[in-house]
Amino acid sequence: MSMTESQKPLFDFYAQKRARNRAQALGGDRFLERAACEGLVDRLAAVTRNFEKAIWIGEAVPNEIRPFSRDWVCAEFDAQELLAPDGPFDLAVSLFSLQWINDLPGALIQIRSLLKPD
């Protein structure tokens, strides 16, 4: 029996989705998202490798991140915490998507399985 079957989930997928939709509708300042994105740009800029195909775990790839891969695929975990895009990928990136996952080790295993071996 998996952890999600034997225990009540810590995070409610649908409540999180409603809260995210409500926040987007309010249109407030996204300063934390911008700061995290700037940090990610700094880290990716230091990498000398070219990424052909990347997965963005979230709704939309920020414009600042787009130049770091030739081809981006957006995907999100569903209510059963499954991620099902067609891989393999050279790069997997997520900002503020994994914080709502009940089975984080399982999510990381799924992401790793989508990456090219190297």
Side-chain angles (χ1 to χ4, degrees):
M1 188 179 305
S2 72
M3 178 189 293
T4 55
E5 293 172 354
S6 65
Q7 296 179 4
K8 185 175 179 179
L10 183 60
F11 299 110
D12 180 337
F13 176 82
Y14 297 105
Q16 179 271 332
K17 197 161 191 67
R18 287 189 305 272
R20 184 172 55 181
N21 292 341
R22 187 174 56 247
Q24 286 176 343
L26 292 173
D29 188 6
R30 308 291 297 181
F31 67 94
L32 287 177
E33 189 174 301
R34 285 194 311 273
C37 194
E38 287 173 12
L40 180 57
V41 167
D42 289 342
R43 288 188 294 282
L44 288 173
V47 177
T48 59
R49 180 176 184 178
N50 293 326
F51 300 109
E52 291 296 315
K53 187 175 179 184
I55 180 172
W56 177 265
I57 302 168
E59 290 182 356
V61 180
N63 290 333
E64 304 89 341
I65 305 298
R66 286 199 173 279
F68 292 101
S69 180
R70 194 171 58 93
D71 181 24
W72 285 95
V73 173
C74 292
E76 292 189 271
F77 286 93
D78 64 14
Q80 288 76 38
E81 297 187 354
L82 298 175
L83 187 66
D86 290 330
F89 298 98
D90 300 309
L91 174 68
V93 182
S94 171
L95 288 179
F96 306 119
S97 293
L98 296 175
Q99 67 191 27
W100 301 106
I101 297 294
N102 289 295
D103 180 14
L104 187 56
L108 294 174
I109 289 168
Q110 289 180 67
I111 293 167
R112 177 65 184 105
S113 71
L114 294 170
L115 292 171
K116 289 181 181 176
D118 69 351

